[in-house]
Amino acid sequence: MAKNPDIIVVGAGIVGCSVAYYLTMLGATVTLLERESIGSGASAHATGSLSLLGAEFSPGPSFNFALAAHREFPSLVRDLEQETGMDLLFQQRPSLRLALDEEEEATIKGLMAWQEEHVAMRWIDAAEVRRIEPRLTHKVRGAVYEEQSAQLDSYRLTLALGQAAEKRGAQLQLRPVTDLVTSGSRITGVRTAAGEISCDTVVLAAGVWSKAFSETLGYQIPVQALKGERLMLRFPGEPLPVLISSPKRGHMISRLDGMLSVGSTGGRDYDQQDLFLGDAFDRQPTESARAELLQRAIEVLPALEDAELVQQLAGSRPLSPDTFPIIGPVPGWEGVVLATGHGTKGVHLGPVTGRTLAEYVMAGCVQVPELLKAFSPARFSAESNPDFYAAGQRAEE
C-alpha cells in the first residue's frame, strides 16, 4: 500500500510546481494533483517577463518580494537546466519602458521616484531611445532604461520545475480535486473521483480555480479570473536588442526561439461587465484583441506591418482585489495553505513563493516568514465586496 504523502499540492501551474520542487528539495513526500496537465492554465500563456518596473509592484512588501524573486532566477534557471536538460530560453538584457504620450511619461516618472532607489535605471530621451533601436516610432518621448531585465519561456519553466520535483519523488496525478476532507477545524486530505487521499498539509495553488474550495472552508477565497491575450509574431528583421514595454501598449519581446511576443490585454481593455466572464470565455482568442494588439505593436514598431502572425494565446490570470498574491494559512483552519492570486506576475513570483512557502510548511506552519506576512489570506477576512475591476486596471502585461 502506498504511503500517504506529507503534503498534497493542488494545481500544477508555475506556483504549484514551484512549491512541489522546493518541498522535495527539503525532503517532503509530495503528491501534485492537477485537473488537466502541467502548466495548462495561466502558466501556459504567460509572457515570462521578469521586469521590476511595471505598476504591478508597489513600495514595501510587494516590491521586496519581487526583488527577492528577481535575484534568484539566474541560479534557479541554471540548476533546472542542468537537472532536466531543458533549455528555458532564459535571456538577460536591458529593457526600455517607453513613453509615447504625456500620460505615459508621467506614469513612468512617477514610478521611477521610488524604483530608482532599488533598480539600476535612468530616464533617456527620444534620441537615445532611437540610437538603441532606430526602428521605433518617432512618437517616442523617452523611456526609462533598466540595465538588467530578463525573460524566459514560462511553459518550459513550469515543466522543468514539475519534472525536477518528480525526479526527487513527487507523484504527479492528473485528476481533479472535488473537495477537501475535514476533521473538526483541520484539513486532513482531499477528495478526488478516485477516492480520498490523506496528508498532513494541503497547499491550494490552483490559480483561478482555488476559489472552488471556498464553501468547504467557509472562507471566500478572493481570487478572480483576469483574461489576457498575446500574440507570437515572426518578424523578418533583426531581433530587438532590448526588452520593450509601455504602460498603455504592453510588451514587445524578441524571444530566443526567434518569435516576437506582443501583448498583453488586461483590465484596461475591457468594460467592467465584460472583464470577468469566466474561464470558457477567457480561453477563447478574439478578433478584437488580435486587432488591438497588432495596432499597438505597429504604433510602437512600424516595421511590424510586415510581420507574420504565428500564434494567438488566451487564458485567465488569478487576480486578487489588491493585486498582492494570497499566500499563507486559511483563517480558522489547520492543515491548509493558500498560494494563489499572483495576477500577471505568477511567473516572476512563482519560484520565490514556492521556496518561501515550502520552508514555512516544513517548519510546521508555526511562524509565517517575514517575506510573506503582507500576503496573508487573513487580510481579506472582513472583505464583503472586493473590487476586482480596480485591480484589473493595474495589470499591464
Side-chain angles (χ1 to χ4, degrees):
M1 181 179 294
K3 180 182 180 295
N4 289 331
D6 298 328
I7 299 148
I8 290 173
V9 179
V10 181
I14 184 66
V15 175
C17 286
S18 294
V19 173
Y21 172 75
Y22 284 104
L23 281 170
T24 56
M25 286 184 67
L26 295 174
T29 303
V30 178
T31 294
L32 183 60
L33 297 175
E34 166 58 45
R35 68 175 196 162
E36 294 182 358
S37 59
I38 288 182
S40 57
S43 306
H45 62 85
T47 305
S49 173
L50 308 175
S51 174
L52 293 162
L53 300 189
E56 290 88 351
F57 301 132
S58 55
S62 169
F63 189 80
N64 294 340
F65 199 49
L67 188 59
H70 194 271
R71 289 170 174 167
E72 292 178 11
F73 259 98
S75 60
L76 173 64
V77 168
R78 182 187 65 245
D79 293 344
L80 287 172
E81 289 185 337
Q82 290 176 351
E83 188 166 353
T84 67
M86 296 177 62
D87 181 358
L88 304 188
L89 303 180
F90 180 68
Q91 56 177 325
Q92 291 180 291
R93 62 177 64 191
S95 68
L96 290 177
R97 187 159 160 80
L98 302 176
L100 272 67
D101 58 42
E102 187 175 347
E103 183 181 355
E104 283 192 319
E105 182 174 346
T107 296
I108 293 171
K109 288 183 174 179
L111 290 169
M112 283 183 69
W114 63 268
Q115 290 173 340
E116 61 186 351
E117 297 180 19
H118 309 280
V119 182
M121 58 193 293
R122 67 182 190 277
W123 177 261
I124 60 176
D125 62 20
E128 189 170 354
V129 169
R130 290 181 53 78
R131 279 196 292 272
I132 294 171
E133 176 46 85
R135 294 170 293 183
L136 289 172
T137 175
H138 288 278
K139 295 180 181 179
V140 171
R141 297 168 61 94
V144 59
Y145 177 89
E146 182 183 10
E147 292 188 3
Q148 188 177 83
S149 189
Q151 186 268 340
L152 80 175
D153 187 284
S154 61
Y155 185 53
R156 294 189 186 202
L157 172 64
T158 306
L159 288 176
L161 287 162
Q163 187 181 114
E166 286 189 280
K167 283 187 173 184
R168 293 193 184 90
Q171 297 294 313
L172 172 65
Q173 297 183 20
L174 301 180
R175 62 184 67 176
V177 175
T178 57
D179 205 352
L180 302 173
V181 180
T182 66
S183 176
S185 62
R186 184 170 187 85
I187 301 300
T188 60
V190 301
R191 187 171 291 115
T192 74
E196 295 182 3
I197 308 175
S198 299
C199 65
D200 295 330
T201 304
V202 175
V203 178
L204 297 178
V208 298
W209 298 281
S210 299
K211 63 182 179 180
F213 303 101
S214 296
E215 184 175 353
T216 298
L217 295 170
Y219 167 81
Q220 191 61 41
I221 299 173
V223 65
Q224 184 61 273
L226 174 67
K227 182 168 185 173
E229 299 188 51
R230 70 182 177 101
L231 309 177
M232 299 286 274
L233 307 179
R234 184 173 288 112
F235 178 46
E238 290 294 316
L240 298 172
V242 290
L243 312 182
I244 291 175
S245 68
S246 90
K248 292 183 180 179
R249 295 161 180 85
H251 75 269
M252 187 178 297
I253 295 173
S254 291
R255 292 162 45 100
L256 293 187
D257 59 3
M259 293 292 102
L260 182 71
S261 176
V262 170
S264 303
T265 62
R268 62 176 180 267
D269 301 306
Y270 300 93
D271 294 331
Q272 187 164 0
Q273 64 269 24
D274 298 327
L275 186 55
F276 304 116
L277 295 180
D279 180 57
F281 168 74
D282 289 354
R283 293 193 180 201
Q284 297 300 317
T286 61
E287 291 185 11
S288 59
R290 180 168 64 249
E292 175 68 20
L293 292 173
L294 286 172
Q295 179 182 341
R296 290 179 194 168
I298 292 170
E299 184 179 8
V300 175
L301 191 68
L304 286 180
E305 287 189 345
D306 299 324
E308 174 191 356
L309 176 61
V310 176
Q311 187 179 19
Q312 183 174 357
L313 301 105
S316 301
R317 287 80 63 90
L319 182 70
S320 77
D322 60 5
T323 73
F324 281 19
I326 306 168
I327 310 168
V330 177
W333 291 92
E334 296 179 2
V336 61
V337 181
L338 280 176
T340 186
H342 293 72
T344 61
K345 291 298 184 178
V347 174
H348 187 136
L349 300 176
V352 73
T353 297
R355 178 183 60 77
T356 314
L357 196 59
E359 292 169 355
Y360 166 68
V361 170
M362 293 301 285
C365 299
V366 176
Q367 185 173 357
V368 175
E370 193 65 35
L371 201 58
L372 296 182
K373 286 183 178 179
F375 312 127
S376 170
R379 73 188 192 271
F380 294 115
S381 294
E383 193 83 32
S384 59
N385 188 27
D387 186 359
F388 290 101
Y389 184 67
Q393 296 299 300
R394 293 176 58 185
E396 293 183 0
E397 288 188 7

